[in-house]
Amino acid sequence: MTAPTPAPPRCSFCGKPHTEVARLVAGPGVHICDECIGLAATITEQHRDSDTPRPLQIWESMSDDEMLQFIPRVAAAADQVEQNLRDWVQELRHRKVTWARIGGALGITRQSAWGRFSGEE
């Protein structure tokens, strides 16, 4: 069984592919582009002295149509994280780590880990 070719990296926040941004920083299962880092820094600075921190929900300023257009980006980010998780589990299995240990690390049973990541029916 050959490993699938990984999809090109995208920003997990805005969904832009690495070819459309100046920099893409990788984290565990996620990526963030320089534009989103700049936006996060601006938001953090604007709310630094706020007495009542409130989570900012991106959809508060979006219309229904804008939200519908954004959903594929959220789904792409979820797919990217899921693939990264699968890659980590596959590497652990290559290292002969048991399904019980993998499941324990994920807070699920050995059977659940095997069912989700083994690729076997």
Side-chain angles (χ1 to χ4, degrees), residues 1 4 82 85-87 89-90 93-94 98-99 102 106 108-121:
M1 178 168 98
E82 179 67 19
L85 179 57
R86 288 181 178 287
D87 293 344
V89 169
Q90 184 178 38
R93 291 297 295 152
H94 284 324
T98 66
W99 286 114
I102 293 168
L106 293 170
I108 59 177
T109 65
R110 171 188 65 79
Q111 293 89 347
S112 294
W114 179 86
R116 181 173 175 186
F117 299 107
S118 73
E120 297 178 29
E121 297 283 327

Side-chain angles (χ1 to χ4, degrees), residues 13-119:
F13 297 86
C14 69
K16 290 181 181 176
H18 72 286
T19 55
E20 292 181 18
V21 296
R23 292 260 185 242
L24 196 62
V25 179
V30 296
H31 296 82
I32 186 168
C33 71
D34 58 307
E35 295 171 16
C36 288
I37 290 171
L39 178 60
T42 300
I43 292 169
T44 301
E45 188 60 37
Q46 288 173 350
H47 296 284
R48 183 178 307 274
D49 298 324
S50 175
D51 290 338
T52 54
R54 180 175 170 261
L56 299 173
Q57 299 296 343
I58 188 171
W59 57 75
E60 289 179 357
S61 64
M62 298 174 87
S63 69
D64 294 349
D65 287 339
E66 288 171 325
M67 287 180 68
L68 288 167
Q69 290 174 353
F70 198 80
I71 285 177
R73 291 181 180 181
V74 175
D79 291 345
Q80 183 175 322
V81 170
E82 179 67 19
Q83 184 56 53
N84 190 268
L85 179 57
R86 288 181 178 287
D87 293 344
W88 279 74
V89 169
Q90 184 178 38
E91 177 59 27
L92 286 166
R93 291 297 295 152
H94 284 324
R95 294 179 182 197
K96 307 293 187 212
V97 174
T98 66
W99 286 114
R101 288 186 66 199
I102 293 168
L106 293 170
I108 59 177
T109 65
R110 171 188 65 79
Q111 293 89 347
S112 294
W114 179 86
R116 181 173 175 186
F117 299 107
S118 73

